[in-house]
Amino acid sequence: MKPLSALSYCKNNKKKLITSTISILVAVSFLYIFQTFVKSIGDSAYELKVNPYKNHMTVQSIGKDKPIPKSIMNILKDNPDVENIISFVSYETRYTIPGASTSAFILGIRHENIEYVMKKHNITLKEGRLPLENHKEVALDYRMSKNKNVVIGDKIGNSIEKNDALNGEYTVVGIVEGDGYLSFMPYNTDVATTKTNEAITAEKSILVFPKNNKIKEVDKLLLSFPKKEVAVMTLSGIIKLYNKIASVMRTLNMICILAIVVMVISVGSSKYVEFFSRKQELGILNAMGYTKVELMKKVFWEVFIVNLLGFTLGIIVGWLSSILINDGAFGAVGGVSVHYSSKAFLMALYIPLFTTLFTLIPVNRMISKLDPIVMIEKI
Protein backbone atom coordinates (compact mmCIF):
# COMPACT_ATOMS: atom_id res chain seq x y z
CA MET A 1 0.00 0.00 0.00
CA LYS A 2 1.10 3.55 -0.70
CA PRO A 3 0.14 6.64 1.29
CA LEU A 4 -1.80 9.39 -0.40
CA SER A 5 0.29 11.44 -2.82
CA ALA A 6 2.15 14.40 -1.33
CA LEU A 7 1.16 16.40 -4.40
CA SER A 8 -2.50 15.61 -3.79
CA TYR A 9 -2.22 16.79 -0.20
CA CYS A 10 -0.61 20.03 -1.32
CA LYS A 11 -3.34 20.63 -3.91
CA ASN A 12 -6.07 20.00 -1.37
CA ASN A 13 -4.46 22.16 1.32
CA LYS A 14 -3.40 25.24 -0.63
CA LYS A 15 -3.54 27.60 2.36
CA LYS A 16 -1.09 25.50 4.35
CA LEU A 17 1.10 25.14 1.25
CA ILE A 18 1.16 28.90 0.65
CA THR A 19 1.87 29.68 4.33
CA SER A 20 4.74 27.20 4.53
CA THR A 21 6.15 28.30 1.16
CA ILE A 22 6.11 31.97 2.13
CA SER A 23 8.10 31.29 5.32
CA ILE A 24 10.81 29.51 3.28
CA LEU A 25 10.67 32.16 0.55
CA VAL A 26 11.19 35.02 3.01
CA ALA A 27 14.10 33.29 4.74
CA VAL A 28 15.84 32.34 1.47
CA SER A 29 15.38 35.73 -0.20
CA PHE A 30 16.57 37.57 2.94
CA LEU A 31 19.80 35.55 3.11
CA TYR A 32 20.41 35.93 -0.62
CA ILE A 33 19.92 39.71 -0.48
CA PHE A 34 22.07 39.98 2.66
CA GLN A 35 24.94 38.01 1.10
CA THR A 36 24.93 39.92 -2.20
CA PHE A 37 24.83 43.19 -0.24
CA VAL A 38 27.87 42.13 1.82
CA LYS A 39 29.67 40.96 -1.33
CA SER A 40 28.96 44.33 -2.97
CA ILE A 41 30.77 46.03 -0.08
CA GLY A 42 33.72 43.63 -0.33
CA ASP A 43 34.01 43.74 -4.12
CA SER A 44 33.80 47.54 -4.16
CA ALA A 45 36.63 47.78 -1.62
CA TYR A 46 38.69 45.20 -3.54
CA GLU A 47 38.28 47.03 -6.86
CA LEU A 48 39.22 50.29 -5.17
CA LYS A 49 42.25 49.20 -3.14
CA VAL A 50 43.66 46.04 -4.71
CA ASN A 51 43.08 46.25 -8.48
CA PRO A 52 45.52 49.14 -9.13
CA TYR A 53 48.38 47.00 -7.77
CA LYS A 54 47.79 44.34 -10.41
CA ASN A 55 49.55 46.68 -12.85
CA HIS A 56 51.96 48.70 -10.70
CA MET A 57 53.63 48.72 -7.30
CA THR A 58 54.88 51.66 -5.26
CA VAL A 59 58.10 52.61 -3.50
CA GLN A 60 58.16 55.67 -1.24
CA SER A 61 60.93 57.15 0.86
CA ILE A 62 60.61 57.21 4.63
CA GLY A 63 61.02 60.66 6.12
CA LYS A 64 59.71 64.03 5.03
CA ASP A 65 62.76 65.28 3.14
CA LYS A 66 64.55 62.03 2.34
CA PRO A 67 64.78 60.73 -1.23
CA ILE A 68 64.63 57.09 -2.22
CA PRO A 69 68.23 55.82 -1.82
CA LYS A 70 70.21 55.77 -5.06
CA SER A 71 71.19 52.14 -4.43
CA ILE A 72 67.52 51.11 -4.53
CA MET A 73 66.87 53.22 -7.61
CA ASN A 74 69.82 51.58 -9.38
CA ILE A 75 68.62 48.09 -8.46
CA LEU A 76 65.21 48.84 -9.97
CA LYS A 77 66.65 50.41 -13.12
CA ASP A 78 68.97 47.46 -13.73
CA ASN A 79 66.48 44.71 -12.93
CA PRO A 80 65.36 42.85 -16.10
CA ASP A 81 61.89 42.17 -14.64
CA VAL A 82 61.11 45.89 -14.25
CA GLU A 83 59.61 47.49 -17.34
CA ASN A 84 59.42 51.10 -16.20
CA ILE A 85 59.78 53.45 -13.22
CA ILE A 86 57.69 56.61 -13.05
CA SER A 87 57.68 59.35 -10.42
CA PHE A 88 54.33 60.24 -8.88
CA VAL A 89 52.66 62.16 -6.10
CA SER A 90 50.09 60.30 -4.03
CA TYR A 91 46.76 62.01 -3.39
CA GLU A 92 43.56 60.61 -1.97
CA THR A 93 39.92 61.61 -2.02
CA ARG A 94 36.98 60.39 0.01
CA TYR A 95 34.99 57.40 -1.24
CA THR A 96 31.78 56.37 0.52
CA ILE A 97 29.44 53.44 -0.03
CA PRO A 98 26.89 51.78 2.27
CA GLY A 99 28.80 50.05 5.06
CA ALA A 100 32.19 51.60 4.28
CA SER A 101 33.94 54.95 4.08
CA THR A 102 37.51 55.04 2.77
CA SER A 103 39.62 56.88 0.19
CA ALA A 104 40.43 56.44 -3.49
CA PHE A 105 43.81 56.96 -5.15
CA ILE A 106 44.63 60.01 -7.27
CA LEU A 107 47.99 59.87 -9.02
CA GLY A 108 49.95 63.04 -9.62
CA ILE A 109 51.76 62.17 -12.87
CA ARG A 110 53.90 64.23 -15.23
CA HIS A 111 52.04 65.04 -18.42
CA GLU A 112 54.46 63.02 -20.59
CA ASN A 113 53.92 59.89 -18.46
CA ILE A 114 50.12 59.93 -18.16
CA GLU A 115 49.58 58.17 -21.50
CA TYR A 116 51.85 55.28 -20.49
CA VAL A 117 50.21 54.87 -17.06
CA MET A 118 46.75 54.97 -18.60
CA LYS A 119 47.72 52.34 -21.17
CA LYS A 120 49.10 49.98 -18.51
CA HIS A 121 45.83 50.24 -16.57
CA ASN A 122 43.60 50.02 -19.69
CA ILE A 123 42.34 53.52 -18.93
CA THR A 124 40.77 55.71 -21.60
CA LEU A 125 39.55 59.29 -21.56
CA LYS A 126 35.78 59.04 -21.52
CA GLU A 127 34.92 62.72 -21.44
CA GLY A 128 36.68 66.11 -21.29
CA ARG A 129 40.49 66.33 -21.18
CA LEU A 130 43.46 65.46 -18.98
CA PRO A 131 44.68 67.95 -16.32
CA LEU A 132 47.34 70.50 -17.30
CA GLU A 133 50.64 71.08 -15.49
CA ASN A 134 50.59 73.82 -12.85
CA HIS A 135 46.80 73.83 -12.78
CA LYS A 136 44.56 72.68 -9.94
CA GLU A 137 42.70 70.18 -12.09
CA VAL A 138 41.75 66.52 -11.87
CA ALA A 139 40.57 63.79 -14.25
CA LEU A 140 38.29 61.57 -12.17
CA ASP A 141 37.51 57.91 -12.66
CA TYR A 142 33.90 57.73 -13.83
CA ARG A 143 32.91 55.73 -10.72
CA MET A 144 34.43 58.39 -8.51
CA SER A 145 32.45 61.05 -10.36
CA LYS A 146 29.31 59.04 -9.52
CA ASN A 147 30.39 58.64 -5.91
CA LYS A 148 30.97 62.36 -5.52
CA ASN A 149 28.05 63.27 -7.76
CA VAL A 150 30.18 65.65 -9.84
CA VAL A 151 30.52 66.38 -13.55
CA ILE A 152 33.07 68.27 -15.62
CA GLY A 153 33.37 71.81 -14.32
CA ASP A 154 32.54 70.91 -10.71
CA LYS A 155 35.13 71.17 -7.93
CA ILE A 156 36.33 68.65 -5.34
CA GLY A 157 38.56 68.84 -2.25
CA ASN A 158 38.18 69.67 1.43
CA SER A 159 37.44 73.29 0.54
CA ILE A 160 34.22 71.96 -1.00
CA GLU A 161 33.59 68.87 1.13
CA LYS A 162 34.90 69.29 4.68
CA ASN A 163 35.68 65.60 5.29
CA ASP A 164 37.49 65.05 1.99
CA ALA A 165 41.09 63.78 2.25
CA LEU A 166 42.11 65.92 -0.73
CA ASN A 167 43.53 69.25 0.45
CA GLY A 168 42.45 72.36 -1.40
CA GLU A 169 40.13 72.79 -4.35
CA TYR A 170 40.46 71.12 -7.75
CA THR A 171 38.35 71.47 -10.89
CA VAL A 172 37.14 68.31 -12.63
CA VAL A 173 38.25 68.63 -16.27
CA GLY A 174 37.97 65.01 -17.41
CA ILE A 175 36.33 61.65 -16.76
CA VAL A 176 38.39 58.48 -17.30
CA GLU A 177 37.39 54.81 -17.44
CA GLY A 178 39.49 51.67 -16.90
CA ASP A 179 40.89 49.14 -14.43
CA GLY A 180 40.83 50.16 -10.79
CA TYR A 181 39.53 53.50 -9.57
CA LEU A 182 42.53 55.59 -10.62
CA SER A 183 42.19 59.33 -11.15
CA PHE A 184 44.88 61.79 -12.28
CA MET A 185 46.22 65.18 -11.25
CA PRO A 186 49.24 67.25 -12.34
CA TYR A 187 52.65 66.32 -10.94
CA ASN A 188 53.68 68.54 -8.03
CA THR A 189 57.48 68.91 -8.07
CA ASP A 190 57.64 70.54 -4.63
CA VAL A 191 55.91 67.57 -3.03
CA ALA A 192 57.46 64.80 -5.11
CA THR A 193 61.16 65.64 -5.08
CA THR A 194 63.84 66.71 -2.66
CA LYS A 195 67.32 68.23 -2.93
CA THR A 196 70.13 65.90 -1.97
CA ASN A 197 73.55 66.90 -0.66
CA GLU A 198 74.86 66.55 -4.21
CA ALA A 199 72.39 69.22 -5.34
CA ILE A 200 70.45 66.88 -7.66
CA THR A 201 66.74 66.29 -7.72
CA ALA A 202 65.87 62.86 -6.28
CA GLU A 203 62.50 61.12 -6.29
CA LYS A 204 60.49 60.48 -3.14
CA SER A 205 57.75 58.29 -4.65
CA ILE A 206 57.80 56.03 -7.71
CA LEU A 207 55.49 53.66 -9.53
CA VAL A 208 57.19 50.40 -10.49
CA PHE A 209 55.75 48.59 -13.52
CA PRO A 210 56.70 44.90 -13.83
CA LYS A 211 57.10 43.30 -17.22
CA ASN A 212 54.37 40.92 -18.36
CA ASN A 213 54.19 37.79 -16.18
CA LYS A 214 56.88 39.16 -13.84
CA ILE A 215 54.65 40.45 -11.05
CA LYS A 216 55.74 37.81 -8.53
CA GLU A 217 59.42 38.47 -9.20
CA VAL A 218 59.10 42.24 -8.80
CA ASP A 219 56.85 41.75 -5.78
CA LYS A 220 59.57 39.68 -4.11
CA LEU A 221 62.25 42.21 -5.09
CA LEU A 222 60.43 45.17 -3.54
CA LEU A 223 59.68 43.30 -0.33
CA SER A 224 63.42 42.63 0.06
CA PHE A 225 64.21 46.37 0.37
CA PRO A 226 65.11 47.65 3.87
CA LYS A 227 61.96 48.76 5.67
CA LYS A 228 63.91 51.50 7.43
CA GLU A 229 64.70 53.18 4.12
CA VAL A 230 61.58 52.79 2.00
CA ALA A 231 57.90 51.88 2.29
CA VAL A 232 56.74 49.56 -0.47
CA MET A 233 53.31 48.35 -1.47
CA THR A 234 53.00 45.30 -3.69
CA LEU A 235 50.12 43.16 -4.89
CA SER A 236 50.72 40.53 -2.21
CA GLY A 237 51.08 43.25 0.42
CA ILE A 238 47.84 45.02 -0.46
CA ILE A 239 45.96 41.70 -0.51
CA LYS A 240 47.20 40.91 3.01
CA LEU A 241 46.23 44.40 4.16
CA TYR A 242 42.81 44.07 2.52
CA ASN A 243 42.19 40.73 4.26
CA LYS A 244 42.99 42.29 7.65
CA ILE A 245 40.70 45.25 7.03
CA ALA A 246 37.97 42.92 5.78
CA SER A 247 37.33 41.70 9.34
CA VAL A 248 34.02 43.56 9.20
CA MET A 249 33.00 41.10 6.47
CA ARG A 250 33.64 38.19 8.83
CA THR A 251 31.46 39.89 11.44
CA LEU A 252 28.66 40.18 8.89
CA ASN A 253 29.11 36.51 8.01
CA MET A 254 28.67 35.61 11.68
CA ILE A 255 25.45 37.62 11.71
CA CYS A 256 24.36 35.68 8.64
CA ILE A 257 25.06 32.34 10.34
CA LEU A 258 23.07 33.42 13.40
CA ALA A 259 20.22 34.46 11.09
CA ILE A 260 20.29 31.00 9.48
CA VAL A 261 20.07 29.30 12.89
CA VAL A 262 17.15 31.49 14.00
CA MET A 263 15.29 31.02 10.71
CA VAL A 264 15.82 27.26 10.62
CA ILE A 265 14.60 26.84 14.21
CA SER A 266 11.59 29.07 13.52
CA VAL A 267 10.58 27.46 10.22
CA GLY A 268 11.40 23.93 11.41
CA SER A 269 9.33 24.41 14.56
CA SER A 270 6.33 25.68 12.61
CA LYS A 271 6.54 22.68 10.27
CA TYR A 272 6.72 20.27 13.22
CA VAL A 273 3.67 21.90 14.82
CA GLU A 274 1.84 21.48 11.51
CA PHE A 275 2.60 17.75 11.39
CA PHE A 276 1.87 17.36 15.11
CA SER A 277 -1.63 18.71 14.44
CA ARG A 278 -2.02 15.89 11.88
CA LYS A 279 -0.97 13.23 14.37
CA GLN A 280 -4.40 11.62 14.30
CA GLU A 281 -4.41 11.54 10.49
CA LEU A 282 -1.06 9.77 10.43
CA GLY A 283 -2.22 7.33 13.13
CA ILE A 284 -5.31 6.39 11.12
CA LEU A 285 -3.17 5.80 8.01
CA ASN A 286 -0.95 3.58 10.14
CA ALA A 287 -4.03 1.66 11.33
CA MET A 288 -5.15 1.24 7.70
CA GLY A 289 -1.93 -0.63 6.93
CA TYR A 290 0.56 2.03 5.93
CA THR A 291 3.94 1.35 7.51
CA LYS A 292 5.78 3.99 9.46
CA VAL A 293 8.46 4.04 6.75
CA GLU A 294 5.78 4.84 4.17
CA LEU A 295 4.42 7.59 6.40
CA MET A 296 7.90 9.10 6.72
CA LYS A 297 8.23 9.05 2.93
CA LYS A 298 4.94 10.93 2.71
CA VAL A 299 6.17 13.51 5.22
CA PHE A 300 9.52 13.82 3.41
CA TRP A 301 7.93 14.50 0.02
CA GLU A 302 5.53 17.06 1.49
CA VAL A 303 8.45 18.88 3.12
CA PHE A 304 10.55 18.54 -0.04
CA ILE A 305 7.84 20.06 -2.26
CA VAL A 306 7.32 23.01 0.08
CA ASN A 307 11.07 23.63 0.46
CA LEU A 308 11.77 23.28 -3.26
CA LEU A 309 8.98 25.69 -4.13
CA GLY A 310 9.97 28.15 -1.39
CA PHE A 311 13.68 27.96 -2.28
CA THR A 312 13.10 28.48 -6.01
CA LEU A 313 10.78 31.43 -5.48
CA GLY A 314 13.09 32.81 -2.77
CA ILE A 315 16.11 32.77 -5.10
CA ILE A 316 14.11 34.51 -7.82
CA VAL A 317 12.78 37.16 -5.42
CA GLY A 318 16.25 37.55 -3.85
CA TRP A 319 17.92 37.95 -7.24
CA LEU A 320 15.40 40.54 -8.45
CA SER A 321 15.62 42.38 -5.12
CA SER A 322 19.43 42.35 -5.29
CA ILE A 323 19.32 44.02 -8.69
CA LEU A 324 16.98 46.70 -7.37
CA ILE A 325 18.72 47.26 -4.00
CA ASN A 326 22.38 46.91 -4.98
CA ASP A 327 22.08 48.92 -8.18
CA GLY A 328 20.60 51.75 -6.14
CA ALA A 329 22.90 51.41 -3.11
CA PHE A 330 26.18 50.66 -4.93
CA GLY A 331 25.94 50.98 -8.71
CA ALA A 332 24.44 54.46 -8.50
CA VAL A 333 27.35 55.72 -6.36
CA GLY A 334 30.19 54.11 -8.29
CA GLY A 335 30.41 50.86 -6.34
CA VAL A 336 30.27 47.24 -7.49
CA SER A 337 26.69 45.99 -7.63
CA VAL A 338 26.53 42.21 -7.09
CA HIS A 339 23.42 40.42 -8.34
CA TYR A 340 24.58 36.81 -8.19
CA SER A 341 26.92 35.12 -5.76
CA SER A 342 27.62 31.40 -5.41
CA LYS A 343 28.12 31.97 -1.68
CA ALA A 344 24.72 33.68 -1.46
CA PHE A 345 23.16 30.71 -3.29
CA LEU A 346 24.80 28.18 -0.94
CA MET A 347 23.92 30.18 2.19
CA ALA A 348 20.29 30.35 1.05
CA LEU A 349 20.36 26.59 0.35
CA TYR A 350 21.05 25.96 4.04
CA ILE A 351 17.48 27.05 4.83
CA PRO A 352 15.63 24.22 3.02
CA LEU A 353 18.34 21.66 3.88
CA PHE A 354 18.35 22.29 7.62
CA THR A 355 14.61 22.92 7.73
CA THR A 356 14.07 19.47 6.23
CA LEU A 357 16.46 17.96 8.76
CA PHE A 358 14.96 19.71 11.79
CA THR A 359 11.44 18.81 10.65
CA LEU A 360 11.99 15.13 9.84
CA ILE A 361 13.88 14.24 13.05
CA PRO A 362 11.09 15.20 15.53
CA VAL A 363 8.35 14.00 13.16
CA ASN A 364 10.10 10.62 12.88
CA ARG A 365 10.11 10.35 16.67
CA MET A 366 6.43 11.23 16.75
CA ILE A 367 5.53 8.63 14.12
CA SER A 368 7.61 5.93 15.82
CA LYS A 369 5.50 6.39 18.97
CA LEU A 370 2.14 6.31 17.16
CA ASP A 371 -0.46 3.92 18.54
CA PRO A 372 -3.05 3.34 15.78
CA ILE A 373 -5.63 1.90 18.22
CA VAL A 374 -5.48 5.05 20.39
CA MET A 375 -5.82 7.23 17.28
CA ILE A 376 -8.94 5.33 16.13
CA GLU A 377 -10.52 5.51 19.60
CA LYS A 378 -10.17 9.31 19.49
CA ILE A 379 -12.32 9.58 16.32
Side-chain angles (χ1 to χ4, degrees), residues 68-194:
I68 296 173
K70 288 182 66 176
S71 58
I72 290 178
M73 293 295 292
N74 290 334
I75 290 172
L76 290 170
K77 289 175 182 177
D78 295 337
N79 191 284
D81 297 326
V82 176
E83 180 179 291
N84 204 353
I85 300 170
I86 291 177
S87 302
F88 81 104
V89 181
S90 179
Y91 298 97
E92 292 183 344
T93 187
R94 191 181 184 192
Y95 174 80
T96 305
I97 56 172
S101 181
T102 182
S103 56
F105 300 115
I106 300 180
L107 298 179
I109 304 290
R110 289 190 177 96
H111 188 75
E112 62 269 23
N113 292 326
I114 287 183
E115 185 178 346
Y116 173 84
V117 175
M118 289 176 67
K119 184 179 179 181
K120 293 297 290 184
H121 288 278
N122 298 315
I123 296 173
T124 56
L125 185 62
K126 187 177 181 181
E127 187 180 350
R129 61 174 175 83
L130 294 174
L132 301 175
E133 292 290 341
N134 302 316
H135 286 69
K136 287 197 169 186
E137 298 175 339
V138 59
L140 277 181
D141 178 84
Y142 77 101
R143 289 158 293 193
M144 287 305 303
S145 66
K146 282 185 177 182
N147 193 262
K148 291 184 167 297
N149 193 28
V150 295
V151 296
I152 291 178
D154 290 344
K155 297 180 184 297
I156 65 170
N158 57 18
S159 295
I160 308 300
E161 185 183 357
K162 185 179 179 180
N163 295 324
D164 201 338
L166 182 63
N167 289 323
E169 182 179 308
Y170 296 83
T171 303
V172 179
V173 295
I175 305 295
V176 296
E177 179 180 6
D179 298 342
Y181 280 65
L182 292 178
S183 302
F184 298 97
M185 284 171 53
Y187 186 81
N188 186 331
T189 305
D190 293 335
V191 174
T193 60
T194 182

Side-chain angles (χ1 to χ4, degrees), residues 18 58-59 109 129 140 177 198 238 274 278 344:
I18 291 172
T58 62
V59 178
I109 304 290
R129 61 174 175 83
L140 277 181
E177 179 180 6
E198 292 143 348
I238 195 67
E274 180 185 330
R278 294 167 57 193

Side-chain angles (χ1 to χ4, degrees), residues 37-56 95 97-105 121 141 143-144 178-182 215 219 233-250 330 334-338:
F37 190 90
V38 171
K39 186 168 174 57
S40 293
I41 297 174
D43 285 5
S44 296
Y46 191 91
E47 287 273 346
L48 180 74
K49 295 295 186 181
V50 178
N51 269 11
Y53 289 92
K54 291 180 179 180
N55 297 299
H56 76 245
Y95 174 80
I97 56 172
S101 181
T102 182
S103 56
F105 300 115
H121 288 278
D141 178 84
R143 289 158 293 193
M144 287 305 303
D179 298 342
Y181 280 65
L182 292 178
I215 292 176
D219 191 303
M233 185 54 71
T234 64
L235 180 59
S236 66
I238 195 67
I239 289 174
K240 287 180 181 178
L241 185 61
Y242 169 81
N243 289 335
K244 288 181 180 179
I245 297 174
S247 58
V248 64
M249 314 300 288
R250 290 188 284 273
F330 296 94
V336 177
S337 177
V338 176

